[in-house]
């Protein structure tokens, strides 16, 4: 099994993909000394008006510097929703030889389109990873799981992404068995920590036989965050993996300042998001406008999940005639 650390890519959601050079240098040095196989550095995006830090674009100059420093395999991510095959000469042409794998963030509803993009990436000589989102809702995408037979010969990694942080160990076992029956492609797992199930879900996936496991330093990642790499390494060290805990402690200290500033991690809205498999932003918006109580939100989500119309009923106020007229 291979370990993939995606701290800079997933953690970038909290920093707009800006990381101080000293943090990055310390991170790379630590990764060199730890039993990590791949580092996911950031995204490759077409230019836009939206501000993104350097790891939102991961420019050639940054990749060259890291490639010289780093002894591990490197990867960057593409967003399928905003990337087409005609963009690849500009996005990936300049980084041939600098990174080993391109991972593609994929909505299951766009799997057919993603397959075309992945084939184009593969022809450029990269390893190709499918980061397929919304794992807890895959059964809602009609025919999606049957399409996984098309991965063979194209993908070097099919990563099951628990985007909402809501799957359980039983879900892991059930879904892994289905995926394994459909493809010979290596399988990975990327967990989120909304329900604080990142560790047990990842350990369950490892028991099932996954080939890749994702984690981040201090769990730094979008929304409720990810499985802590230091926690995963500690558990694996108990089973015999050789880990330099001095180095691990140093890199954890490096990211503590960022944690104190941004305070990622789960909370009640994120827990509700995970339990009901809905985007975190929707729950946060409902909570933030102070119009709805938590109980109202949960009832509304229950109705949505069960496809029931809103069942709240309120009395109609009627205008009372004024008996006293002026």
């Amino acid at each position: 099994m291979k370990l993939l650390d995606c701290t800079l890519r997933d953690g970038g959601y909290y920093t707009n993909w800006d990381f101080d050079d000293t943090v990055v240098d310390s991170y790379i040095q630590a990764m060199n000394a730890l039993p990590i196989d791949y580092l996911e550095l950031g995204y490759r995006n077409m230019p836009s008006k939206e501000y993104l830090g350097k790891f939102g674009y991961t420019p050639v100059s940054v990749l060259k510097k890291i490639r010289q420093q780093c002894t591990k395999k490197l990867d960057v991510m593409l967003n399928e929703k905003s990337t087409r095959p005609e963009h690849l000469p500009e996005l990936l042409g300049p980084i041939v030889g600098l990174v080993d794998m391109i991972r593609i963030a994929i909505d299951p509803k766009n799997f057919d389109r993603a397959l075309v993009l992945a084939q184009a990436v593969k022809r450029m000589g990269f390893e190709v990873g499918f980061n397929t989102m919304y794992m807890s809702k895959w059964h809602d995408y009609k025919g999606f799981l049957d399409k996984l037979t098309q991965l063979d010969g194209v993908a070097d990694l099919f990563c099951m992404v628990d985007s909402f942080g809501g799957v359980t160990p039983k879900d892991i076992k059930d879904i892994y068995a289905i995926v394994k029956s459909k493809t010979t492609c290596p399988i990975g797992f990327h967990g989120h920590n909304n329900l604080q199930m990142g560790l047990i879900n990842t350990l369950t996936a490892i028991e099932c036989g996954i080939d890749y496991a994702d984690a981040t330093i201090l769990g730094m990642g979008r929304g409720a965050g990810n499985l802590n790499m230091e926690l995963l390494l500690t558990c694996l060290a108990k089973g015999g993996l050789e880990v330099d805990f001095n180095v691990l402690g140093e890199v954890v200290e490096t990211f503590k300042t960022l944690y104190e500033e941004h305070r990622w991690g789960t909370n009640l809205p994120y827990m509700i998001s995970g339990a009901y498999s809905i985007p975190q932003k929707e729950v946060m918006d409902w909570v933030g406008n102070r119009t709805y109580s938590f109980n109202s939100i949960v009832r509304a989500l229950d109705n949505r999940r069960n496809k029931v119309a809103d069942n709240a009923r309120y009395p109609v106020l009627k205008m009372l005639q004024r008996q006293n007229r002026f």
Side-chain angles (χ1 to χ4, degrees):
M1 189 195 68
K2 300 182 187 302
L3 297 179
L4 188 151
D5 188 280
C6 47
T7 304
L8 299 183
R9 198 273 304 170
D10 216 337
Y13 282 96
Y14 274 95
T15 67
N16 278 326
W17 293 277
D18 269 328
F19 290 92
D20 188 85
D21 287 346
T22 58
V23 170
V24 176
D25 290 345
S26 296
Y27 168 77
I28 297 299
Q29 291 171 16
M31 293 297 106
N32 285 343
L34 292 170
I36 309 296
D37 299 281
Y38 284 78
L39 306 185
E40 188 163 83
L41 300 176
Y43 287 96
R44 288 287 284 177
N45 280 306
M46 297 296 288
S48 70
K49 294 181 180 179
E50 178 187 9
Y51 174 79
L52 298 176
K54 61 185 176 184
F55 289 98
Y57 295 101
T58 324
V60 172
S61 58
V62 170
L63 285 172
K64 284 183 176 179
K65 178 182 176 182
I66 292 177
R67 181 72 283 170
Q68 291 171 353
Q69 295 175 328
C70 186
T71 61
K72 305 303 174 77
K73 286 194 169 186
L74 303 177
D75 84 80
V76 293
M77 182 169 280
L78 299 177
N79 267 317
E80 188 281 331
K81 67 179 181 180
S82 59
T83 308
R84 298 293 170 266
E86 57 266 28
H87 297 150
L88 297 184
E90 180 177 349
L91 287 176
L92 301 187
I95 67 171
V96 171
L98 294 177
V99 302
D100 302 278
M101 180 186 288
I102 305 298
R103 292 216 293 183
I104 305 172
I106 298 166
D107 185 323
K109 70 182 181 183
N110 296 326
F111 183 85
D112 294 335
R113 197 171 67 187
L115 199 64
V116 174
L117 180 64
Q119 289 167 337
V121 172
K122 187 78 170 177
R123 287 193 293 269
M124 298 181 75
F126 297 100
E127 299 173 32
V128 178
F130 276 54
N131 256 43
T132 309
M133 301 181 288
Y134 314 135
M135 180 183 177
S136 57
K137 300 183 73 174
W138 283 356
H139 291 295
D140 295 340
Y141 294 87
K142 187 176 180 180
F144 161 66
L145 289 166
D146 290 329
K147 293 180 180 181
L148 300 186
T149 57
Q150 301 175 62
L151 291 170
D152 292 354
V154 178
D156 300 282
L157 165 63
F158 177 79
C159 191
M160 307 182 299
V161 181
D162 180 20
S163 305
F164 302 113
V167 301
T168 65
K170 183 181 183 302
D171 296 327
I172 295 286
K173 293 175 182 178
D174 292 345
I175 295 174
Y176 176 84
I178 295 171
V179 173
K180 188 69 174 176
S181 72
K182 301 293 184 182
T183 180
T184 61
C185 173
I187 301 169
F189 177 67
H190 177 102
H192 281 240
N193 228 9
N194 294 59
L195 299 180
Q196 296 199 342
M197 302 281 275
L199 177 62
I200 187 60
N201 283 337
T202 301
L203 293 179
T204 301
I206 291 170
E207 290 176 5
C208 288
I210 60 165
D211 304 283
Y212 288 75
D214 287 16
T216 62
I217 299 299
L218 282 176
M220 187 179 190
R222 188 175 191 175
N226 304 78
L227 168 61
N228 293 40
M229 179 61 82
E230 64 273 17
L231 179 57
L232 179 59
L233 288 176
T234 300
C235 289
L236 295 177
K238 186 178 178 181
L241 183 68
E242 187 173 341
V243 176
D244 188 329
F245 285 100
N246 289 337
V247 172
L248 187 58
E250 289 171 3
V251 72
V252 166
E253 284 296 323
T254 297
F255 280 85
K256 274 190 175 178
T257 301
L258 286 172
Y259 175 73
E260 292 296 330
E261 179 180 353
H262 298 287
R263 289 287 178 176
W264 58 83
T266 197
N267 54 35
L268 184 54
Y270 286 150
M271 293 171 195
I272 294 172
S273 168
Y276 290 89
S277 293
I278 65 168
Q280 297 168 155
K281 185 179 183 301
E282 288 188 27
V283 178
M284 296 301 283
D285 286 347
W286 285 1
V287 172
N289 67 21
R290 300 182 182 276
T291 302
Y292 306 101
S293 70
F294 280 110
N295 286 337
S296 297
I297 293 171
V298 170
R299 283 195 295 270
L301 296 177
D302 246 342
N303 288 340
R304 176 189 292 183
R305 182 178 61 175
N306 296 319
K307 298 181 179 178
V308 174
D310 284 342
N311 52 17
R313 295 291 180 265
Y314 302 96
V316 176
L317 296 177
K318 295 182 179 180
M319 183 70 71
L320 297 177
Q321 288 186 339
R322 293 183 180 179
Q323 294 186 2
N324 297 322
R325 297 181 180 276
F326 295 92

